[in-house]
Amino acid sequence: NAGVMQNPRHLVRRRGQEARLRCSPMKGHSHVYWYRQLPEEGLKFMVYLQKENIIDESGMPKERFSAEFPKEGPSILRIQQVVRGDSAAYFCASSPSATKTYEQYFGPGTRLTVT
Amino acid sequence: RKEVEQDPGPFNVPEGATVAFNCTYSNSASQSFFWYRQDCRKEPKLLMSVYSSGNEDGRFTAQLNRASQYISLLIRDSKLSDSATYLCVVNYQGGKLIFGQGTELSVKP
């Protein structure tokens, strides 16, 4: 049973470009979470999604960031017009059910570097 | 005040030592509590859940005190492979996990 998959593992973007980060949850998991870890900081919750629905986006920056989890395909975290401060590790996690949303399994992360 | 606060690190201990990590959380409505481990800023991995009755898994013992809003992790007989950053994690609102800053442990031969 494959774990949570994220790609790319490393992404380099110039300031002003767009970054697209992908996350495929574990088989049978329909709940996806995105977290960000800035250099020298802890992980911070960004957004919680179920298929085709955003459940909690309280941790998402108000501008330039968006997330989706379509009926088919991976979840996408999209960052428009990236700035140097967006450089971070972005982790995706998935959980199996609505009654166990605390039981989250993490992917290997995407390390975004903005030059 | 941070939602989850941990001991500042790093902790440098010799092999075989016993080491204790402490953590406090600010939201009394918190429902679930965990210790995660993170190696070299790779993905966090669940070490153990924490219950009010206390729980033990081999050399690791976790305790929760809801009245004091305090969580602890005790590692006995430290191994070199225990070197990592230990993250205190709390859940109180749906799927949102709140992570502490982490405490770095370095076990030396």
Side-chain angles (χ1 to χ4, degrees):
Chain A
N1 186 10
V4 178
M5 299 176 70
Q6 290 188 248
N7 67 82
R9 296 287 301 276
H10 299 274
L11 181 61
V12 180
R13 285 286 178 266
R14 290 201 179 97
R15 278 179 297 173
Q17 291 184 318
E18 178 179 288
R20 281 185 178 237
L21 287 61
R22 293 174 184 77
C23 169
S24 296
M26 286 180 73
K27 188 177 180 181
H29 288 194
S30 58
H31 302 255
V32 165
Y33 315 82
W34 286 93
Y35 294 84
R36 177 167 69 172
Q37 188 170 31
L38 294 167
E40 308 305 321
E41 293 192 17
L43 279 86
K44 297 279 192 272
F45 169 82
M46 298 181 77
V47 63
Y48 164 27
L49 310 107
Q50 283 182 274
K51 287 283 188 181
E52 299 184 282
N53 286 306
I54 296 175
I55 307 302
D56 180 355
E57 57 181 347
S58 59
M60 286 282 267
K62 294 286 185 278
E63 297 176 348
R64 302 187 296 107
F65 285 71
S66 62
E68 62 176 6
F69 189 16
K71 189 176 179 181
E72 301 291 337
S75 175
I76 307 284
L77 179 68
R78 183 181 176 208
I79 311 172
Q80 295 177 289
Q81 298 174 319
V82 296
V83 301
R84 288 228 171 102
D86 296 332
S87 295
Y90 292 82
F91 292 99
C92 167
S94 71
S95 68
S97 70
T99 56
K100 285 191 171 183
T101 53
Y102 53 82
E103 186 178 310
Q104 297 181 21
Y105 299 85
F106 283 80
T110 293
R111 272 141 189 89
L112 172 65
T113 301
V114 180
T115 61
Chain B
R1 184 184 172 188
K2 291 181 182 176
E3 292 179 277
V4 178
E5 293 201 66
Q6 294 186 239
D7 277 348
F11 282 44
N12 296 303
V13 303
E15 268 187 293
T18 296
V19 60
F21 300 138
N22 303 312
C23 168
T24 57
Y25 59 95
S26 60
N27 192 323
S28 59
S30 299
Q31 299 171 346
S32 305
F33 310 87
F34 311 93
W35 284 100
Y36 275 74
R37 169 188 171 137
Q38 188 177 30
D39 292 78
C40 302
R41 295 180 75 82
K42 294 182 180 177
E43 73 270 29
K45 294 184 177 176
L46 179 65
L47 183 64
M48 58 198 306
S49 301
V50 189
Y51 307 109
S52 297
S53 54
N55 47 305
E56 188 173 310
D57 182 2
R59 298 181 293 108
F60 298 82
T61 301
Q63 290 277 353
L64 166 66
N65 184 321
R66 284 188 182 268
S68 304
Q69 294 179 203
Y70 170 88
I71 305 163
S72 65
L73 176 68
L74 186 76
I75 305 176
R76 291 181 299 278
D77 189 21
S78 301
K79 310 291 184 194
L80 297 176
S81 57
D82 294 334
S83 297
T85 297
Y86 290 82
L87 307 171
C88 178
V89 183
V90 168
N91 166 258
Y92 62 81
Q93 193 174 359
K96 182 177 178 179
L97 295 181
I98 310 296
F99 285 80
Q101 197 83 341
T103 302
E104 186 181 343
L105 172 66
S106 179
V107 182
K108 305 291 186 187

